[in-house]
Amino acid sequence: MHLKNGGLHLGYHTHYVVAGSKRRIILTALVTPPEVTDNLPMLDLIFHTRWRWHLLTSQVTGDTTYGTIENIKALEDQGIRAYIPVPNWEERYEVWSASHFRYEPQADQYRCPQGQILQRVEVIGPDGRQLYRAPTSVCNDCPVKGQCTTSTQGRRVYRHVGEEYLERVRS
Ligand code: SF4
């Protein structure tokens, strides 16, 4: 395992599925090399555990490291509720994150805190993210622009494929 100080340490990762009862019984355990991060074997472990112990799983709980769109979508598509904190990386920025904007699915558009519409412009990159943008002139005249964007081209918001799953889990 690579250490934070740049050194190496002989080690491994262990991954567990634990029954959510008071007894906290370990149902499945997996040992992997250290480069296998927590989120990677999660789905295999869950589905193996369901099959091995004939469980009708209704919910899965995990910490932030499990909160990828792939994991959450796969669970929810199987009728399993994912109770996993979804990190909002944009909160690190000084301007408002996308969570300040409301998505309107029927019109496929976002609405900003000032009530202005951000229309879908194009698909960005191989991951299929969608770009939504507010009109440049509207943003440049907006009284709260300083809190919203540093751009002179209008505020942008990105929407990932499967974002609706994250929105449900966040709620
Ligand atoms: S800067 Fe643009 S997107 Fe942001 S609140 Fe103002 S009008 Fe809305």
Side-chain angles (χ1 to χ4, degrees), residues 96 101 111-118 134-135 138-149 154-156:
W96 287 335
F101 295 74
R111 196 169 293 270
C112 79
Q114 290 290 99
Q116 301 292 337
I117 290 170
L118 285 75
V138 170
C139 289
N140 287 342
D141 287 342
C142 175
V144 294
K145 177 174 184 271
Q147 294 165 263
C148 186
T149 181
R155 169 68 199 240
R156 297 167 176 231

Side-chain angles (χ1 to χ4, degrees), residues 90 96-98 101-112 116-124 128-136 139 148-149 151 153-164 167:
E90 291 185 17
W96 287 335
S97 68
F101 295 74
R102 189 176 75 246
Y103 183 62
E104 298 176 343
Q106 290 182 344
D108 188 18
Q109 64 189 22
Y110 277 88
R111 196 169 293 270
C112 79
Q116 301 292 337
I117 290 170
L118 285 75
Q119 289 189 322
R120 184 156 65 87
V121 181
E122 57 184 322
V123 176
I124 303 289
R129 272 186 312 161
Q130 309 273 357
L131 168 63
Y132 296 78
R133 190 155 63 195
T136 301
C139 289
C148 186
T149 181
S151 170
Q153 309 289 315
R155 169 68 199 240
R156 297 167 176 231
V157 169
Y158 296 94
R159 184 174 181 82
H160 294 88
V161 174
E163 189 78 32
E164 62 275 18
E167 287 169 348

